Amino acid sequence: MSALTLYDKLWNAHVVHEEADGTALIYIDRHLVHEVTSPQAYEGLRLAGRKQWRVESVVATADHNTPTKDWDKGIADPISRTQVETLDANMKAFGAKAYFPFLDKRQGIVHVIGPEQGATLPGMTVVCGDSHTSTHGAFAALAVGIGTSEVEHVLATQCLVQKKAKAMLVKVDGALPAGCTAKDIVLAVIGKIGTAGGTGYAIEFGGSAMRALSMEGRMTVCNMAIEAGARAGMVAVDEVTVNYVKGRPFAPQGAVWEQAVGYWRTLVSDAGAKFDRVVELDAAQIKPQVTWGTSPEMVLPVDGRVPDPDKEKDATKRDAIERALTYMGLQPNTAIKDIRIDKVFIGSCTNSRIEDLRAAASVAKGRRVAANVKLALVVPGSGLVKRQAEQEGLDKVFTAAGFEWREPGCSMCLAMNDDKLEPGERCASTSNRNFEGRQGTGGRTHLVSPAMAAAAAIAGHFVDVRELR
Amino acid sequence: MEKFVQLHGLVAPLDRANVDTDAIIPKQFLKSIKRSGFGPNLFDAWRYKNHGEPGMDNSTRPLNPDFVLNQPRYKGAQILVARENFGCGSSREHAPWALMDFGFRAVIAPSYADIFFNNCFKNGLLPIVLAAREVDQLFAEVAVTPGYALRIDLPAQTVTTPGRASFKFAIDEFRKHCMVNGLDEIGLTLRHADKIRAYEAQRQVREPWVFT
């Protein structure tokens, strides 16, 4: 038999039916549900009089609309509240394997709680009505973000209609310099291949630098595969994967655990497996990354300078640079380190796990947020991450330094709740998108790692975390 | 789903690359639990001069006269011509819903983000891929031709300009079949219910932990 990629293996294991043109029905093992992209799907089932195919596949939570403070007061915005209550009602009517509603101790960002609960397992197909579902690929799962019609389709049929993507290997070898993180790896990858570089591909992230990452780091990288245009990102199974999953609430146990691990260990690309495209990066050359524009591909090392549109020959690209500079309120050739910030956001499905909070806290410890920074928010990814951080005293480190310590949720990554930027405000953010208006109408987002966000909070402007005094 | 067979429609150009779904329909409008009513907030931050929130009377909001869709000559446009990587970012299906609700039935661009592209087909919004130079030609022609309209023929897979230039586009047979006939994809999949059950039975033996 010919050598297979990890993606081939995951795909082959889930094909239920294939049409002549290659369109396939792919079986879905885990369906993660949240309040924003599911109401119309459940309504669709109701209107068509259809039943849910496999209730036990669904794990749900409310995360996008939930506030990050004053939980005792509930959800103030009536429209947000209606959306969260609609999910409550749909969970009651249709059921789920698990539902972690607003206020539950295990509630949190859907892409944090899936892995945390062991609801995401190697070898699974995972879908969610959210583009950052690619996160779960860190477990050697085939995980893709879907639209609401597809949410309804999966609820009704347990299958997704898909065509097989091409396979890309992003190979990151070498030792990542101190002060650089998984976030810097993935931003560097996006800077290299562009936001459409992965369109039509499933990306496997490999190489010694990827193998050296924790599961948290691998999740950060896979999370932003979609920012490179790829619906799915994935990492092969190794000891790190198996150790992370072991003992999680929904992970298999006993004899079944042994059987599962035996299978999971096959979830690696075979030697000699063919990829349609291979991209290589030297981890040793990666520096802390900072985005300067309105697309994640507009990214530079922290010692870089904002581009000059006059030096760009391609008209469409020049327009994009000019438009981005205008929106971001930046002059050409400005040094990244000279960009002063107004707010800091540490959180999101990209960077809100315990390791992220530890990295930020280690920078914040014994220091103070700069006077020009109006708000520095730390939003843990889940109630359990929050509890863990508090047990380690990280909350005290943050609050002593002048950061606000909040309740879990998506928060200012997309600003559907009250946490948002005001027009013209500039933010160092550990989230995943620097699009116009993403963190609030007129807000200006610079994407960075948690350590770099904390360093910017302390300095009041971007700074190489390794040079922070 | 609404059928799509032929369309002769007015064209509006949106000349920027990497238009993301946050721009197509900003997050504050995602709080709706309906599929309809997103049209007035399509491209909200670009279209209006003030900040929009759900429940506002959009008819009284100040329009940004520089935004292309606010120009009278594009009123009633059904075809949007756009640049590469259109629809990148969030998976929100509210993006095609908003485009449809506004009146668009087709988008023409050199490339799309995968999730958006896929979502369009579920809603009867046809995303057509043409070569970059063909899209360049459409941008050039629409700029100098008031009332510029294109004829789209899905069964023939062609886009025809007023000057009778005809561009062929590719589309998966299955998607074309569903669009032309306005088929309910769930209904189609459920014809394979026995296959799905058989698949589950053998997976349960092989990987029982997935089903607990």
Side-chain angles (χ1 to χ4, degrees):
Chain A
M1 204 169 71
S2 62
L4 299 176
T5 63
L6 168 59
Y7 176 55
D8 289 330
K9 293 180 184 181
L10 292 170
W11 177 271
N12 293 346
H14 290 89
V15 176
V16 171
H17 171 78
E18 199 168 336
E19 302 281 345
D21 73 347
T23 307
L25 280 183
I26 294 297
Y27 189 81
I28 301 306
D29 299 327
R30 177 66 67 227
H31 189 179
L32 302 168
V33 169
H34 66 84
E35 79 276 19
V36 178
T37 55
S38 66
Q40 297 89 347
Y42 284 109
E43 183 64 11
L45 282 192
R46 220 176 260 121
L47 289 173
R50 286 181 172 130
K51 279 198 273 192
Q52 195 171 188
W53 185 280
R54 188 161 66 84
V55 175
E56 297 74 26
S57 67
V58 173
V59 171
T61 194
D63 55 4
H64 283 61
N65 279 278
T66 54
T68 58
K69 61 177 181 181
D70 301 329
W71 271 17
D72 53 327
K73 293 182 187 142
I75 302 173
D77 175 359
I79 313 177
S80 287
R81 191 169 63 236
T82 299
Q83 198 163 54
V84 171
E85 286 171 355
T86 302
L87 180 60
D88 290 340
N90 284 329
M91 286 297 111
K92 202 171 254 179
F94 289 91
K97 176 185 176 73
Y99 176 41
F100 305 115
F102 176 50
L103 302 179
D104 189 283
K105 284 186 173 56
R106 297 160 296 174
Q107 176 267 355
I109 304 173
V110 69
H111 306 308
V112 174
I113 66 166
E116 184 175 76
Q117 293 293 330
T120 301
L121 295 172
M124 277 185 164
T125 43
V126 180
V127 295
C128 176
D130 190 286
S131 60
H132 291 112
T133 308
S134 57
T135 308
H136 307 266
F139 292 83
L142 178 56
V144 293
I146 58 178
T148 297
S149 292
E150 290 176 316
V151 171
E152 183 181 340
H153 191 279
V154 173
L155 288 172
T157 70
Q158 212 57 45
C159 291
L160 192 61
V161 179
Q162 283 234 297
K163 260 192 145 173
K164 197 174 176 192
K166 291 177 284 184
M168 183 190 296
L169 175 65
V170 173
K171 197 160 173 282
V172 192
D173 277 313
L176 199 59
C180 293
T181 66
K183 183 66 163 285
D184 302 302
I185 292 180
V186 71
L187 284 172
V189 169
I190 295 164
K192 186 173 170 110
I193 70 174
T195 48
T199 303
Y201 289 92
I203 299 180
E204 178 176 345
F205 295 95
S208 60
M210 286 303 302
R211 283 197 300 279
L213 291 179
S214 65
M215 285 315 295
E216 284 84 352
R218 295 175 189 185
M219 283 189 257
T220 298
V221 173
C222 289
N223 172 275
M224 289 190 72
I226 186 66
E227 261 55 68
R231 253 178 125 168
M234 61 194 76
V235 177
V237 165
D238 62 10
E239 281 310 303
V240 177
T241 324
V242 173
N243 290 338
Y244 181 98
V245 173
K246 191 166 191 179
R248 302 264 160 196
F250 299 144
Q253 293 174 345
V256 182
W257 167 259
E258 297 303 329
Q259 186 192 348
V261 171
Y263 169 59
W264 294 344
R265 289 195 195 282
T266 68
L267 297 174
V268 298
S269 289
D270 296 332
K274 292 272 183 297
F275 289 86
D276 299 287
R277 187 178 169 194
V278 178
V279 174
E280 295 188 65
L281 265 83
D282 178 1
Q285 300 301 316
I286 293 174
K287 294 176 180 173
Q289 305 280 307
V290 182
T291 66
W292 59 268
T294 53
S295 164
E297 71 186 19
M298 294 172 164
V299 64
L300 287 166
V302 63
D303 58 1
R305 284 178 181 274
V306 169
D308 185 342
D310 291 345
K311 289 180 185 156
E312 176 59 58
K313 293 192 182 76
D314 181 276
T316 304
K317 282 185 189 156
R318 188 168 58 240
D319 283 355
I321 293 172
E322 280 173 354
R323 200 191 301 274
L325 289 177
T326 303
Y327 182 84
M328 294 298 287
L330 292 172
Q331 295 300 319
N333 303 311
T334 303
I336 293 284
K337 290 179 189 172
D338 288 341
I339 300 173
R340 291 170 70 81
I341 56 163
D342 305 302
K343 286 184 176 170
V344 173
F345 173 61
I346 297 172
S348 86
C349 58
T350 313
N351 280 129
S352 64
R353 298 179 182 84
I354 189 67
E355 188 178 273
D356 301 314
L357 302 187
R358 286 177 190 146
S362 74
V363 173
K365 190 164 188 167
R367 296 185 167 110
R368 285 291 302 173
V369 171
N372 62 298
V373 175
K374 290 182 256 184
L375 178 71
L377 273 185
V378 186
V379 182
S382 71
L384 297 183
V385 168
K386 183 170 187 256
R387 194 177 67 185
Q388 171 76 26
E390 288 171 352
Q391 283 168 356
E392 296 179 19
L394 304 184
D395 57 325
K396 300 280 191 306
V397 171
F398 284 121
T399 51
F403 289 83
E404 289 195 19
W405 179 247
R406 296 287 187 89
E407 303 291 346
C410 299
S411 181
M412 208 161 74
C413 173
L414 86 167
M416 273 187 84
N417 67 1
D418 288 338
D419 309 332
K420 58 185 74 163
L421 298 181
E422 297 301 321
E425 282 184 341
R426 189 181 298 287
C427 182
S429 178
T430 67
S431 55
N432 40 57
R433 291 193 173 128
N434 51 352
F435 298 155
E436 288 183 21
R438 172 78 178 182
Q439 294 192 289
T441 306
R444 294 160 173 167
T445 302
H446 296 268
L447 304 175
V448 288
S449 74
M452 283 288 287
I458 303 301
H461 56 87
F462 291 107
V463 61
D464 188 330
V465 62
R466 299 169 296 186
E467 295 166 3
L468 188 70
R469 280 181 295 143
Chain B
M1 186 178 77
E2 214 173 319
K3 283 185 192 182
F4 191 116
V5 185
Q6 272 114 5
L7 171 70
H8 183 248
L10 189 69
V11 174
L14 185 64
D15 195 0
R16 54 173 98 183
N18 298 313
V19 170
D20 58 75
T21 55
D22 275 80
I24 296 173
I25 183 81
K27 88 292 265 63
Q28 62 269 36
F29 305 106
L30 272 51
K31 296 178 185 184
S32 169
I33 57 172
K34 301 189 184 128
R35 278 176 188 261
S36 57
F38 297 102
N41 302 108
L42 176 72
F43 299 116
D44 197 87
W46 294 343
R47 205 163 134 200
Y48 300 98
K49 282 183 150 176
N50 64 348
H51 172 75
E53 282 292 331
M56 280 171 98
D57 178 2
N58 296 294
S59 66
T60 62
R61 293 175 60 199
L63 293 171
N64 171 10
D66 297 334
F67 184 58
V68 66
L69 294 186
N70 288 332
Q71 295 174 22
R73 60 174 285 198
Y74 299 121
K75 195 173 164 56
Q78 291 182 288
I79 300 168
L80 186 70
V81 177
R83 294 292 185 186
E84 60 264 29
N85 201 27
F86 187 80
C88 60
S90 155
S91 66
R92 59 190 68 169
E93 199 161 316
H94 312 68
W97 294 340
L99 287 161
M100 289 282 284
D101 201 52
F102 183 85
F104 288 114
R105 293 299 320 278
V107 185
I108 300 175
S111 62
Y112 300 86
D114 284 340
I115 302 179
F116 173 82
F117 188 69
N118 203 51
N119 283 343
C120 287
F121 287 104
K122 318 290 180 185
N123 293 282
L125 178 68
L126 181 63
I128 295 173
V129 179
L130 290 184
R133 66 188 152 70
E134 293 167 345
V135 174
D136 282 343
Q137 183 181 332
L138 299 183
F139 271 106
E141 289 183 3
V142 69
V144 297
T145 320
Y148 188 80
L150 292 170
R151 191 174 298 281
I152 296 170
D153 186 325
L154 178 53
Q157 297 175 218
T158 54
V159 175
T160 309
T161 71
R164 297 297 172 93
S166 184
F167 305 127
K168 192 95 180 159
F169 62 89
I171 180 172
D172 287 343
E173 272 309 312
F174 181 73
R175 283 178 160 153
K176 178 171 154 181
H177 174 70
C178 291
M179 282 289 258
V180 170
N181 296 293
L183 295 179
D184 165 22
E185 217 173 64
I186 295 177
L188 286 178
T189 297
L190 287 174
R191 291 181 313 169
H192 301 294
D194 288 346
K195 272 192 165 177
I196 302 171
R197 281 190 208 100
Y199 172 88
E200 282 180 322
Q202 51 104 351
R203 267 301 287 298
Q204 264 170 346
V205 174
R206 211 169 68 214
E207 294 168 63
W209 59 88
V210 172
F211 295 86
T212 53

